[in-house]
Amino acid sequence: MKKTLTIVIILVVLVIGYGFVTYNSLITSNEGIKGQWAQVEAQYQRRFDLIPNLVESVKGVMKQEQAVFNAIAEARTKYAGAQSVDERAKAAGEVESALGRLLVITENYPELKSAENVQTLMAQIEGTENRISVERKRYNDLVQSYNVRVKRFPSSLVARLSGFAEHAYFESVEGSETAPTVQF
């Protein structure tokens, strides 16, 4: 009788101990999932903050360069269409003025920056999307591990009794297979 009571007490202690360990483990896993989702959202915020600013920066440099190139082309057209000496002299002055602005740009920027800025923008977009992808994968890995624990016996008993439910995986939304467009 004493042996049986001792065995029953040991079994009860083990079951209760297992329940506490499993419960605490599920809490830890659940909080890990929440923390990882916060990382995914942080990368989304980075995307929302960074990309529009980079696009605007590139647009600004491109506008400055484009304005100079347009002025040169317009002045050349005027010169080619000039009928009198005065018209040609005025058009030649416009060409010289536009070329002067081009020289100022090239002195300040040894090589025109549009192509480099666009490459930087694309690298930043690629880097941001890669970071988001990595964080999503980490999130899904944590969800998978947690969901297995919630479903697997005997931890599923503790999970059900404690109110732990499965988490949803991050799944791409309809249309996400199409890359976003960047417009200047």
Side-chain angles (χ1 to χ4, degrees), residues 5 9 27 72 77 84 89 91-92 95 122-123 131 136 139 147-148 164 167 171 173 177 180:
L5 183 61
I9 290 173
I27 290 284
I72 291 171
T77 301
S84 69
V95 170
M122 297 310 293
R131 287 178 183 194
R136 286 177 184 163
Y139 173 80
N147 285 349
V148 166
F164 288 98
H167 279 279
E171 295 179 7
V173 295
E177 65 277 357

Side-chain angles (χ1 to χ4, degrees), residues 9 17 21 35 70 97-98 103 106 126 140 144 161 176:
I9 290 173
V21 169
N70 286 345
S97 174
L103 287 175
T106 56
E126 180 181 347
N140 281 343
Q144 179 185 18
L161 290 172
S176 63

Side-chain angles (χ1 to χ4, degrees), residues 15 19 21 27 37 60 85-86 92 97 116 123 161 165-167 172 184:
V15 168
V21 169
I27 290 284
W37 182 251
V85 172
D86 286 341
S97 174
E116 181 181 328
L161 290 172
E166 288 184 60
H167 279 279
S172 58
F184 294 108

Side-chain angles (χ1 to χ4, degrees), residues 111-131:
E111 49 186 81
L112 295 178
K113 299 292 183 184
S114 289
E116 181 181 328
N117 285 342
V118 170
Q119 288 176 346
T120 300
L121 170 64
M122 297 310 293
Q124 288 294 324
I125 290 172
E126 180 181 347
T128 298
E129 295 306 314
N130 285 340
R131 287 178 183 194

Side-chain angles (χ1 to χ4, degrees), residues 46-173:
R46 180 180 188 273
R47 175 203 281 164
F48 297 141
D49 292 344
L50 177 70
I51 302 303
N53 291 331
L54 286 171
V55 169
E56 288 304 314
S57 297
V58 170
K59 281 168 110 173
V61 171
M62 291 175 83
K63 274 184 190 173
Q64 180 184 8
E65 293 172 6
Q66 192 60 45
V68 170
F69 292 134
N70 286 345
I72 291 171
E74 188 177 311
R76 286 180 60 209
T77 301
K78 284 183 183 177
Y79 185 83
Q83 299 296 323
S84 69
V85 172
D86 286 341
E87 288 175 353
R88 285 183 185 218
K90 186 177 175 184
E94 289 178 24
V95 170
E96 288 172 14
S97 174
L99 288 174
R101 284 184 283 167
L102 179 62
L103 287 175
V104 167
I105 289 175
T106 56
E107 286 173 0
N108 290 329
Y109 304 100
E111 49 186 81
L112 295 178
K113 299 292 183 184
S114 289
E116 181 181 328
N117 285 342
V118 170
Q119 288 176 346
T120 300
L121 170 64
M122 297 310 293
Q124 288 294 324
I125 290 172
E126 180 181 347
T128 298
E129 295 306 314
N130 285 340
R131 287 178 183 194
I132 290 169
S133 177
V134 165
E135 297 302 338
R136 286 177 184 163
K137 180 176 181 342
R138 288 179 182 161
Y139 173 80
N140 281 343
D141 289 346
L142 288 175
V143 167
Q144 179 185 18
S145 175
Y146 171 83
N147 285 349
V148 166
R149 298 195 71 227
V150 167
K151 291 178 182 178
R152 190 179 285 166
F153 184 81
S155 60
S156 62
L157 297 174
V158 175
R160 253 185 270 141
L161 290 172
S162 303
F164 288 98
E166 288 184 60
H167 279 279
Y169 288 100
F170 178 88
E171 295 179 7
S172 58
V173 295

Side-chain angles (χ1 to χ4, degrees), residues 19-29 149:
F20 281 120
V21 169
T22 301
Y23 177 82
N24 288 335
S25 176
L26 290 169
I27 290 284
T28 301
S29 295
R149 298 195 71 227

